[in-house]
């Protein structure tokens, strides 16, 4: 699977002509950072979160770094079009003279933009895309989220520790879903569990009842899911509840039911478990400040999520690069040399850039959806895996 994914991503990345190498920036009074994201279209909520993360960081830390004013330019990918994302990245680098890029959404967009980052020697912070193979495509990539296999492997090990022996996997039918599927299956089997079934769900699925019926007939005691957040996750949760699965099966997902999305669900989501690298309700100083800013400036119900925290942390690294090169022309190659082993305090907890992979070494949290006495649903942390290091995809 890894080889196939590398071929697919590589084909996207190498298509088209490479841009000319951009000249090194002079000791500018203004440094520009380009953000490519889905600000309209089906994933617009994610793009909005990118902007909230950037705005929050600059509001809390100022609009200058390294003695220079920071200006952020936003470009709308309007969904998940690799060709458009690459063109936008090229325009930002060549026409707008940005020194860094961040954002994007799905893995093919990042893969398509790798030649841009490589030719221009421009650091690119990957906010969301989680395919492990991406990091081999550019020495200028830094992951701000996760490698998608990590939480699936943690879920498999945890469920076996809880005595679960009959596993079922239901994932969206696209590359990240396939990686989650294989990662969970391999780990669950290696821990002595049995896989009693799996299903790949087309991304345009609206009726999840037949899938829930299929899962119920297999009689699993643990269900690993990976479904895009939003309407699909809400519909799937209701279908599972209608078959009684939410009451008798340990269900573990990833980002399907973030705190900011919980108002979309009915009470059938209560008891849902997920493993991801953020806790929206964490009480560390960084998260409290971030959450307070979002509440005051983005809306009373808006909470930190993986998209906004990813953009927030990307800006932290951008500011570090600028501070390290104060008074000097910005140099992307020099900036990247400061990344390996760098540690900082984030709203999600302590993070270190892995010296070899440029993946984050970070905490992962097992959360359970609970309903408070006030009727408000939230994710409560059940277990924390501290400073999880990147694991290679088999």
């Amino acid at each position: 699977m890894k080889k196939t994914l590398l071929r697919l991503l590589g084909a996207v990345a190498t298509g088209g002509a490479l841009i000319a190498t951009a000249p090194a920036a002079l000791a500018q009074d203004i440094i520009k950072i380009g953000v490519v994201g889905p600000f309209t279209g089906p994933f617009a909520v994610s793009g909005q979160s990118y902007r909230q993360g950037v705005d929050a960081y600059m509001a809390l830390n100022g609009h200058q770094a390294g003695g220079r004013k920071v200006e952020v330019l936003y470009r709308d990918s309007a969904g998940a079009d690799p060709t458009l994302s690459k063109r936008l990245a090229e325009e930002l680098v060549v026409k707008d003279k940005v020194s860094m890029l961040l954002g994007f959404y799905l893995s093919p967009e990042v893969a398509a933009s790798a030649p841009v980052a490589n030719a221009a020697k421009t650091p690119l912070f990957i906010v969301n895309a989680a395919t492990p193979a991406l990091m081999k495509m550019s020495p200028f990539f830094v992951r701000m989220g996760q490698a998608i296999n990590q939480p699936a492997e943690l879920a498999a090990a945890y469920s076996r520790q809880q005595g679960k022996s009959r596993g079922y996997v239901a994932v969206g039918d696209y590359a990240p879903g396939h990686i989650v599927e294989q990662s969970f299956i391999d780990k669950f089997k290696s821990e002595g569990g049995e896989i009693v079934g799996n299903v790949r769900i087309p991304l345009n699925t609206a009726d999840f009842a037949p899938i829930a019926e299929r899962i119920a007939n297999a009689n699993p005691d643990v269900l690993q899911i990976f479904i895009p957040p939003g309407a699909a996750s809400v519909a799937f949760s209701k279908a599972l509840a209608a078959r009684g699965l939410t009451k008798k099966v340990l269900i573990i997902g990833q980002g399907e039911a973030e705190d900011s999305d919980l108002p979309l669900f009915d009470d059938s989501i209560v008891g849902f478990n997920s493993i991801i690298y953020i806790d929206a309700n964490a009480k560390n100083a960084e998260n409290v400040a971030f959450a307070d800013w979002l509440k005051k400036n983005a809306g009373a119900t808006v909470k930190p999520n993986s998209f906004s925290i990813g953009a927030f942390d990307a800006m932290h690294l951008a500011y570090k690069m600028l501070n390290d090169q104060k008074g000097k022309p910005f140099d992307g190659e020099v900036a990247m040399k400061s990344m390996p082993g760098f540690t900082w305090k984030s709203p999600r907890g302590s993070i270190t850039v892995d010296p070899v992979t440029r993946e984050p070494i970070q905490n992962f949290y097992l959360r359970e959806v609970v309903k408070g006495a006030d009727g408000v649903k939230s994710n409560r942390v059940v277990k924390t895996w501290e400073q999880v290091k990147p694991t290679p995809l088999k």
Side-chain angles (χ1 to χ4, degrees):
M1 178 174 288
K2 180 179 179 182
K3 292 181 179 178
T4 301
L5 183 61
L6 280 169
R7 285 198 299 269
L8 289 172
L9 293 177
V12 175
T14 55
L18 296 179
I19 64 169
T21 301
L26 299 177
Q28 310 98 320
D29 292 326
I30 298 176
I31 284 284
K32 297 178 182 179
I33 299 174
V35 180
V36 178
F39 299 107
T40 60
F43 308 117
V45 172
S46 302
Q48 181 182 28
S49 294
Y50 289 0
R51 187 185 292 269
Q52 290 168 353
V54 171
D55 289 349
Y57 189 86
M58 296 181 74
L60 295 171
N61 295 277
H63 291 247
Q64 289 190 339
R68 290 169 278 202
K69 180 181 177 182
V70 177
E71 180 180 340
V72 179
L73 307 180
Y74 293 93
R75 296 293 182 266
D76 183 14
S77 60
D81 182 346
T83 302
L84 175 58
S85 294
K86 180 184 178 183
R87 179 171 62 79
L88 294 173
E90 289 176 335
E91 290 177 357
L92 283 165
V93 170
V94 176
K95 178 182 177 182
D96 297 301
K97 307 295 189 224
V98 302
S99 297
M100 288 167 270
L101 293 165
L102 71 88
F104 304 89
Y105 188 67
L106 298 182
S107 293
E109 296 175 85
V110 179
S113 301
V116 179
N118 293 342
K121 297 179 171 54
T122 301
L124 187 155
F125 304 106
I126 304 171
V127 171
N128 177 66
T131 301
L134 284 174
M135 300 306 292
K136 297 182 181 295
M137 301 181 70
S138 174
F140 294 93
F141 286 173
V142 183
R143 178 108 63 193
M144 307 312 307
Q146 65 179 9
I148 204 69
N149 59 305
Q150 288 182 291
E153 292 165 359
L154 292 173
Y158 174 78
S159 59
R160 287 294 294 134
Q161 292 165 4
Q162 300 303 304
K164 307 302 181 183
S165 60
R166 296 174 56 82
Y168 199 104
V169 187
V171 300
D173 190 9
Y174 67 127
H178 303 167
I179 295 171
V180 169
E181 176 187 67
Q182 196 61 53
S183 298
F184 182 89
I185 289 173
D186 288 347
K187 185 65 174 179
F188 196 73
K189 286 183 175 180
S190 73
E191 296 285 334
E194 175 190 4
I195 297 296
V196 297
N198 62 290
V199 59
R200 294 179 175 181
I201 305 169
L203 294 181
N204 61 354
T205 298
D207 181 10
F208 290 89
I211 296 167
E213 180 74 16
R214 180 174 170 179
I215 295 169
N217 290 340
N219 192 31
D221 54 17
V222 59
L223 170 63
Q224 167 75 63
I225 73 168
F226 183 79
I227 303 293
S233 292
V234 172
F236 192 30
S237 173
K238 289 181 178 180
L240 294 174
R243 289 294 290 117
L245 292 168
T246 55
K247 298 297 184 182
K248 66 178 185 178
V249 177
L250 173 62
I251 302 175
I252 306 179
Q254 292 190 17
E256 293 82 4
E258 291 303 283
D259 285 80
S260 54
D261 295 330
L262 287 176
L264 301 173
F265 292 83
D266 60 21
D267 286 353
S268 66
I269 197 63
V270 173
F272 177 80
N273 294 271
S274 59
I275 298 175
I276 201 167
Y277 51 91
I278 70 164
D279 170 18
N281 305 301
K283 300 304 180 185
N284 64 69
E286 293 77 21
N287 193 63
V288 169
F290 183 31
D292 285 348
W293 188 93
L294 289 174
K295 184 176 181 179
K296 293 175 183 177
N297 296 278
T301 62
V302 177
K303 291 189 175 184
N305 59 32
S306 60
F307 307 117
S308 60
I309 283 180
F312 186 97
D313 286 335
M315 291 300 292
H316 185 81
L317 293 186
Y319 274 41
K320 171 189 165 44
M321 290 178 173
L322 293 174
N323 287 328
D324 286 347
Q325 298 188 44
K326 184 176 182 179
K328 302 176 183 178
F330 183 80
D331 186 311
E333 286 186 293
V334 172
M336 290 303 300
K337 291 177 182 178
S338 71
M339 289 294 96
F342 177 62
T343 299
W344 75 101
K345 292 183 178 180
S346 158
R348 70 181 91 175
S350 177
I351 310 179
T352 298
V353 178
D354 182 70
V356 177
T357 65
R358 284 164 283 113
E359 301 267 12
I361 299 172
Q362 60 188 337
N363 295 344
F364 279 86
Y365 305 97
L366 172 67
R367 300 100 44 90
E368 179 185 10
V369 176
V370 297
K371 185 176 181 180
D374 57 0
V376 176
K377 295 184 282 292
S378 64
N379 279 293
R380 175 177 61 88
V381 173
V382 176
K383 179 179 175 63
T384 301
W385 290 270
E386 295 187 354
Q387 299 303 286
V388 179
K389 294 183 178 180
T391 56
L393 187 64
K394 296 179 181 179

